[in-house]
Amino acid sequence: MYKNNAISANDPKAIEKLTEKKEQCQALQDMMKGVNAHWRKTGTCVGAYGINEEQAKNLDDVINNAKQSWQRVPFPDYTLKNNYAEIKRLEKRIAEMTRNKEVGFSGWEFSGGRADANKELNRLQLFFDEKPSEGQRAQLKSNGFKWAPSQEAWQRQLNSNAIYAANRIDFIKPSDGRTVREHQPKAPVRDAVR
């Protein structure tokens, strides 16, 4: 049976879980680099920090059996690169989720309905007084909004992309004449030093 281990942005502990996953990937990266360095220095994985003797012997067997393996180091370059890419992806996702939480998106009124920034469900929801026309529904769909019968609203994940998408839809422009983006609090300024 398929088990989904994805961490949803709706999860109240998503940032904590992503941080934990990033730390695990970082520990794995450090271990793989350490084993490779130990192997280059000694010619064996036995005694390398972070793996037990059985794992070390298995890695040595794979490397030393040239007829059956193309692998010439305990952890090939692509393994290190893929894990590093996962660390960077997780860092980016944590930063985005933290920024979205700090921004505190807000809703607005428009002619024929209202938009709500539902922080609990992590959704930008559009409520209409009447059913939108076929053309309007097509425009909502093309901008990533989906009909949610359980909420009786058109919605999509609440993030800056949702605000940009809503800004492109003319029939949900705020009634007060401002743009959708002008209704949102300003994003916190990032540190200038990187």
Side-chain angles (χ1 to χ4, degrees), residues 115-153:
D116 285 342
N118 188 330
K119 293 168 187 70
E120 185 178 307
L121 295 176
N122 194 34
R123 296 287 182 263
L124 175 61
Q125 298 179 315
L126 304 175
F127 297 94
F128 293 91
D129 298 337
E130 297 178 5
K131 183 176 179 179
S133 70
E134 189 174 326
Q136 289 173 329
R137 291 193 308 268
Q139 193 172 1
L140 288 167
K141 290 176 186 177
S142 70
N143 281 288
F145 287 91
K146 297 192 183 319
W147 173 247
S150 62
Q151 300 293 313
E152 295 184 0

Side-chain angles (χ1 to χ4, degrees), residues 150-192:
S150 62
Q151 300 293 313
E152 295 184 0
W154 287 86
Q155 63 183 18
R156 66 174 281 170
Q157 187 173 358
L158 180 60
N159 56 26
S160 56
N161 289 338
I163 300 303
Y164 288 118
N167 204 46
R168 290 190 298 262
I169 303 173
D170 289 331
F171 59 91
I172 62 168
K173 296 276 186 207
S175 303
D176 62 7
R178 297 189 306 169
T179 66
V180 172
R181 290 175 57 197
E182 289 172 340
H183 270 268
Q184 305 311 309
K186 300 293 182 204
V189 178
R190 295 186 193 169
D191 294 334

